[in-house]
Structure formats: structure tokens, C-alpha cells
Amino acid sequence: MAAMRPSQLDSAYSWFHRLVALACLAMGVFYWIRLIGFYPGLLWRFDLMPIHWKIASVVLSVLYPFAAVGLWLVASWGPVIWFLCAGAELAMYGPLSSYFGTRTPLLVFHLCVAVIYVGLRLALYRRNRLAQK
């Protein structure tokens, strides 16, 4: 019996997940660096951070590596956890920028990832619908 090979669309979907997983891992490491005190900025130690940064750093330092694992495994919960992280950062650096500052490139990154993800999911849905007919 011949094994079915994944299509180019399936491969692109998997590679996209893995690239976003690497980005999530890097962002998780960034938040851990901030928490343990190697960050060379004003918020360089957890005990010196304002409460809003403490909450954001702790939550994102846990969720980002978790999202990275889910995305790397192409598990259904991976994009959900990434969405929580991206939503938190969109809120932090968007409407709450008076507390957290601005990071426009990061917001653009999250929006691009969301658009590409939705496009890939729609392409997979369309392909599966056509295959059923």
C-alpha cells in the first residue's frame, strides 16, 4: 500500500506553523530574560517592574513557549495559544501603549501572521470541500 504524500499546501501549512513556533520561542525567551534580570533596560528586574509589566511578563513568558510547542507539533491548540499571546501584545502596544510603549513592528508581525494563517486555513477548507464533491 502506497503512503500518501502531503500536498504542497499541507507542507506550507506545517512550515508556517514551525516558523511561527520559532518566533514564539524567541519571544518567550525574551520575556524570560526580562523576568530573570538580564534585560538591559529600565525594567531590568522583576521586583523593580510596575505591576502591569509584572503581569504581562509573567503571563507571556509562560504562554509563548507553550504556544511554540503547540505550533511546532501542528496541534490544534497551538494557534489558539498564539492568538492569546498576540491579542495580549496587541492590547499592550495598541490601546495600552501609554503603559507599555509602542512596538509597531511586533504588531505588524502579529497581523501578518494572522492574515497568512487565515489564508492557509481558507485554502485548506476550500481544498477539502472540493475533494468531498
Side-chain angles (χ1 to χ4, degrees), residues 1-60:
M1 183 174 221
M4 290 189 59
R5 295 185 59 196
S7 69
Q8 287 182 340
L9 183 58
D10 293 324
S11 294
Y13 184 71
S14 294
W15 277 104
F16 175 72
H17 269 73
R18 297 224 163 111
L19 289 173
V20 175
L22 291 174
C24 285
L25 186 61
M27 288 185 267
V29 168
F30 170 76
Y31 280 106
W32 274 105
I33 287 171
R34 180 171 276 189
L35 284 178
I36 60 176
F38 288 125
Y39 183 71
L42 295 174
L43 307 172
W44 65 282
R45 269 187 16 206
F46 184 76
D47 60 335
L48 300 176
M49 289 181 189
I51 189 69
H52 56 275
W53 266 111
K54 286 180 181 180
I55 293 168
S57 294
V58 168
V59 169
L60 291 173

Side-chain angles (χ1 to χ4, degrees), residues 59-112:
V59 169
L60 291 173
S61 68
V62 172
L63 286 181
Y64 263 127
F66 191 57
V69 170
L71 288 165
W72 188 266
L73 296 175
V74 192
S76 60
W77 49 269
V80 174
I81 304 300
W82 170 82
F83 180 78
L84 291 173
C85 296
E89 286 191 328
L90 286 171
M92 286 168 56
Y93 301 119
L96 300 174
S97 62
S98 61
Y99 294 106
F100 295 98
T102 58
R103 291 186 65 193
T104 305
L106 181 64
L107 299 181
V108 170
F109 170 76
H110 285 313
L111 292 174
C112 288

